[in-house]
Amino acid sequence: MTAAPGSARTAFVEAFGRPPGCVWWAPGRVNLIGEHTDYNDGYVLPLAIPFGVQAAVRERPDRVLRVVSAQSGPAADLRVDTLRPGGAAGWSAYVAGVVWALGEAGHEIGGLDVLVDGDVPLGAGLSSSAALECSVAAAVVDLLDLGLDRSALVQLTKRSENAFVGVPNGILDQSASLLATEGHLLFLDTRTLASRQVPFDLARHGLALLVVDTRAPHALVDGEYAARRLACEAAARELGVPALRDVDLAELPEALARLVDPVIRRRARHVVTEDDRVLRVVGLLDAGDDPRAIGSLLTASHVSLRDDFEVTVPALDVAVDAALDAGAHGARMTGAGFGGCVITLVDTANAPAVERAVAEAFRSRGFAPPKAFEVTPAAGAHRLEQPVSRQPSPP
Ligand code: GLA
């Protein structure tokens, strides 16, 4: 289902009349659990999905950044020297942001031709933007031999999205895209940035992870996301800790009693309990327990995101309830919320029934039909084509 290997190369040649210098691929992600914890110094447990973006790049002899998308066509040319935060709009801002962030970090970047070809469903909360910026960053860094390792790429792409595009997200999406490995969950401590690969072989247990894209339109996402961050920061300040990560589950009742505002209290309760759920899921998987045992923690995460963090919408709640009624072992929204996808842990044999149950629940409520697909943990970002000579071709 991923854009065919080599598709970006072919499209690059069509767009620019010469072959690319280097081609990389980077995936989108789903987060198994650990939602809205990454900007609270907490824990996350994502996996890379087999949908991503191929980025084909080549140096140009001038100082122009020319970007073409196989899906959306060409973007307006930009001058590398005049890139400024907020100075590019739409999808190409994610590409321009990477080039800007490299320049800001002191790297000498000249003109570039960039072709991107992606198949991450857009607006579904599967991190199509992280796939875009990580594929481009990895390809450019490789092409120009800038010597940045993956952790540095995570920081660079996050900075580009925060400071150039203006989205105040945490480090979850870029980490998943760049650090995840096939067959594993990425267990990441977003404070220390220590990470570990946790094997996740559901098929061995007759299980599957079914993703349901509710296709519910995202409403008010940006403002609401920023508001959640502010509420969490306010809670940490009031409790006198650097971040909500520093509140232990055992101390939670006492901490909550000190928070005056009931909204801030609910936000804090979600974050502290969610960190604990991540640790418990990792503990169960590490112990080699039947993964069905994590189902109730996934569902508890959804309930917390619905009732305490208040980032679900009716389509997400209906999908979770219908999946559970149809026998899913656990189900929850994944990503920022306010629309997007639900993940469900199902017996492989029961996946079609769960899919039908969600579709039927949507039909009876007049929602647009959802789209469902199974995922297994895919590889993180990787090179598809070696860099060639760094010499730009004559114009
Ligand atoms: C979005 C952000 C991430 C993270 C999630 C919620 O995907 O980009 O940084 O905060 O929401 O867990």
Side-chain angles (χ1 to χ4, degrees), residues 16-383:
F16 299 111
R18 57 185 80 157
C22 174
V23 186
W24 274 69
W25 178 84
R29 60 98 189 93
V30 297
N31 193 16
L32 185 72
I33 195 163
E35 219 65 87
H36 291 277
T37 48
D38 64 345
Y39 51 84
N40 291 295
D41 280 3
Y43 304 102
V44 293
L45 194 62
L47 56 138
I49 58 174
F51 302 100
V53 174
Q54 293 185 17
V57 298
R58 183 178 183 121
E59 286 183 274
R60 295 173 57 93
D62 52 20
R63 300 189 66 75
V64 168
L65 174 62
R66 179 164 295 171
V67 192
V68 177
S69 154
Q71 284 69 43
S72 318
D77 281 358
L78 293 166
R79 298 211 58 87
V80 171
D81 305 313
T82 56
L83 291 176
R84 296 284 175 274
W91 62 270
S92 66
Y94 292 90
V95 178
V98 164
V99 175
W100 170 83
L102 282 167
E104 282 278 293
H107 300 287
E108 179 51 37
I109 309 290
L112 289 167
D113 284 333
V114 180
L115 183 294
V116 291
D117 187 6
D119 63 357
V120 186
L122 298 178
L126 298 173
S127 293
S128 55
S129 45
L132 176 57
E133 61 211 8
C134 293
S135 61
V136 170
V140 172
V141 162
D142 197 13
L143 176 78
L144 303 180
D145 201 14
L146 299 179
L148 299 184
D149 65 12
R150 286 185 186 242
S151 319
L153 282 177
V154 169
Q155 298 296 345
L156 180 101
T157 46
K158 177 178 182 288
R159 171 155 167 70
S160 128
E161 188 158 340
N162 292 164
F164 190 90
V165 185
V167 179
N169 57 2
I171 208 161
L172 164 67
D173 309 337
Q174 292 84 4
S175 300
S177 188
L178 287 158
L179 305 177
T181 60
E182 192 172 357
H184 296 89
L185 302 164
L186 176 77
F187 175 34
L188 173 72
D189 178 336
T190 66
R191 168 171 282 168
T192 64
L193 299 182
S195 69
R196 175 158 74 77
Q197 306 291 335
V198 178
F200 196 53
D201 183 1
L202 292 177
R204 195 160 63 85
H205 298 271
L207 287 166
L209 196 61
L210 182 72
V211 179
V212 181
D213 179 359
T214 64
R215 299 164 81 206
H218 278 232
L220 297 169
V221 183
D222 295 350
E224 291 291 337
Y225 184 88
R228 295 305 180 282
R229 279 194 80 132
L230 289 176
C232 292
E233 283 158 20
R237 244 193 335 272
E238 225 170 307
L239 295 171
V241 289
L244 286 176
R245 146 74 174 276
D246 299 298
V247 179
D248 272 356
L249 192 66
E251 300 162 1
L252 184 61
E254 188 251 329
L256 293 179
R258 282 164 52 209
L259 294 172
V260 187
D261 181 333
V263 173
I264 291 191
R265 202 182 304 139
R266 288 202 297 277
R267 304 296 187 253
R269 183 165 57 193
H270 165 71
V271 173
V272 176
T273 58
E274 184 77 350
D275 272 336
D276 176 64
R277 283 184 287 270
V278 178
L279 297 178
R280 284 160 66 195
V281 166
V282 171
L284 289 167
L285 295 174
D286 276 350
D289 288 7
D290 182 337
R292 287 170 183 81
I294 70 171
S296 58
L297 290 163
L298 301 185
T299 305
S301 166
H302 184 83
V303 170
S304 177
L305 287 156
R306 183 191 67 201
D307 299 344
D308 277 350
F309 220 63
E310 297 175 284
V311 292
T312 70
V313 292
L316 292 167
D317 298 333
V318 166
V320 164
D321 291 345
L324 293 172
D325 286 348
H329 299 290
R332 61 178 293 273
M333 55 150 275
T334 187
F338 309 106
C341 289
V342 153
I343 52 171
T344 70
L345 181 68
V346 294
D347 289 325
T348 313
N350 196 34
V354 169
E355 191 177 332
R356 274 197 307 276
V358 177
E360 176 51 30
F362 273 39
R363 202 193 52 74
S364 71
R365 282 173 180 74
F367 298 161
K371 276 193 185 150
F373 50 93
E374 288 177 26
V375 290
T376 52
H382 54 272
R383 179 199 281 146

